[in-house]
Amino acid sequence: MLVHINVPNGESVAVEIEQGTTLADVKEGAALALGAAASRIGLLFAGDRLINDSNLQWLSDGDALHLVLEGSEPQVYRFAVPSIQDRRSPPGNDSIIREVSNAKHVVESQGEVIEVRASASVFKDQGWGNKKGHVYLVQKRAGIKINQACLLGRARDVPTSNVSKRTHPKWNLAVGDTLCIGYHVGDNGGHKLFVENLRVEVAVLFSSARGF
C-alpha cells in the first residue's frame, strides 16, 4: 500500500509499505525524498505519534501521515465552555451558527489542524421533533467563516451525557485566523440546546515545527 507523508512545503511524499516494512524503513523513505536525516524525522497519524513497527497496522492504503522533527510536538489550543443554553434560532435563519463569547483563539503562525478532541458532560436538545442541535469548531479569516467542523455529532443522535468525539478536519491555518466555538439550535417549533462542561482541544502542527 502507499501512504502519503505531508511535508513542510505543503506537498506530500509517497512511501510504499509492504509486508515486513518497518517504521525505520518508512522514515528512511521520507528522508531520502527530503534530503534529511532519518534520525530527525517523526511521524504522526491522526494526531498520534508512530513509535514502533506495530503502529504501521493502523494504516490503510492512501492514508496521510504528518512529518515532524523529533522532539517537536503540536501546539494545543484549548477551549472550556461551562454552559450553553439557548432556544430556537430566529425565524428564517435555520442555518445560523452563533458564536460563544470568550471562546476563541487567534492563530499566530502558519500551520495545519491535525486533530480535534471534544467532550461534554451534557449535550441535548428539546427531546422531541426534528433534530438540529450541533456544536461546531469554526475557522474565520478576516472575519469571514471559511471552515466549520461538527464537534459532537447531532443532538439525540449521540448520548445526552458524557459524550466525546475525535475528528481530523485537516485545515490549513494562516496568521491572524480565528478559531472559535459556535452552535446551532434550529428554527421554528421550540428548538432548544443544552450543553454543559464543553471541552475542546485543537492540535495544530505549525510550519516552524515541520521545517528543516
Side-chain angles (χ1 to χ4, degrees):
M1 65 180 174
L2 281 178
V3 298
H4 303 277
I5 301 176
N6 295 329
V7 296
N9 61 6
E11 299 179 356
S12 65
V13 174
V15 175
E16 187 170 2
I17 297 178
E18 302 175 332
Q19 185 175 0
T21 298
T22 66
L23 180 58
D25 295 333
V26 178
K27 290 184 178 182
E28 186 65 33
L32 288 173
L34 295 169
S39 61
R40 299 186 62 203
I41 288 177
L43 297 172
L44 300 177
F45 176 64
D48 295 318
R49 185 179 288 269
L50 304 185
I51 59 175
N52 55 48
D53 295 345
S54 65
N55 295 156
L56 298 180
Q57 298 176 10
W58 300 346
L59 306 178
S60 301
D61 188 52
D63 278 343
L65 306 178
H66 295 271
L67 183 146
V68 297
L69 296 179
E70 289 291 5
S72 66
E73 295 294 338
Q75 177 173 327
V76 178
Y77 289 112
R78 292 181 171 85
F79 301 83
V81 180
S83 179
I84 298 172
Q85 297 187 27
D86 207 344
R87 296 179 180 272
R88 64 184 176 88
S89 303
N93 290 283
D94 186 56
S95 62
I96 191 171
I97 294 178
R98 298 178 178 179
E99 292 184 20
V100 177
S101 60
N102 301 319
K104 61 181 63 179
H105 289 285
V106 178
V107 177
E108 298 179 349
S109 181
Q110 180 179 345
E112 181 182 3
V113 175
I114 59 173
E115 183 178 56
V116 178
R117 301 188 185 199
S119 64
S121 62
V122 174
F123 177 52
K124 62 183 181 179
D125 63 3
Q126 70 282 352
W128 56 273
N130 292 329
K131 307 173 187 178
K132 296 187 177 182
H134 293 81
V135 180
Y136 296 97
L137 177 68
V138 177
Q139 178 188 6
K140 300 177 76 174
R141 182 168 297 165
I144 299 173
K145 182 183 71 175
I146 61 172
N147 279 310
Q148 68 183 51
C150 180
L151 291 175
L152 297 172
R154 184 172 62 175
R156 263 190 296 149
D157 283 345
V158 296
T160 58
S161 63
N162 299 320
V163 60
S164 63
K165 185 178 180 181
R166 295 172 62 175
T167 55
H168 306 91
K170 299 181 182 178
W171 297 346
N172 291 317
L173 302 179
V175 177
D177 283 0
T178 300
L179 296 174
C180 55
I181 303 300
Y183 63 92
H184 176 235
V185 181
D187 188 25
N188 300 324
H191 287 284
K192 300 177 183 178
L193 184 64
F194 305 93
V195 185
E196 301 291 339
N197 300 314
L198 176 66
R199 299 289 185 269
V200 181
E201 295 184 348
V202 183
V204 177
L205 193 61
F206 288 115
S207 298
S208 58
R210 294 184 288 174
F212 292 92

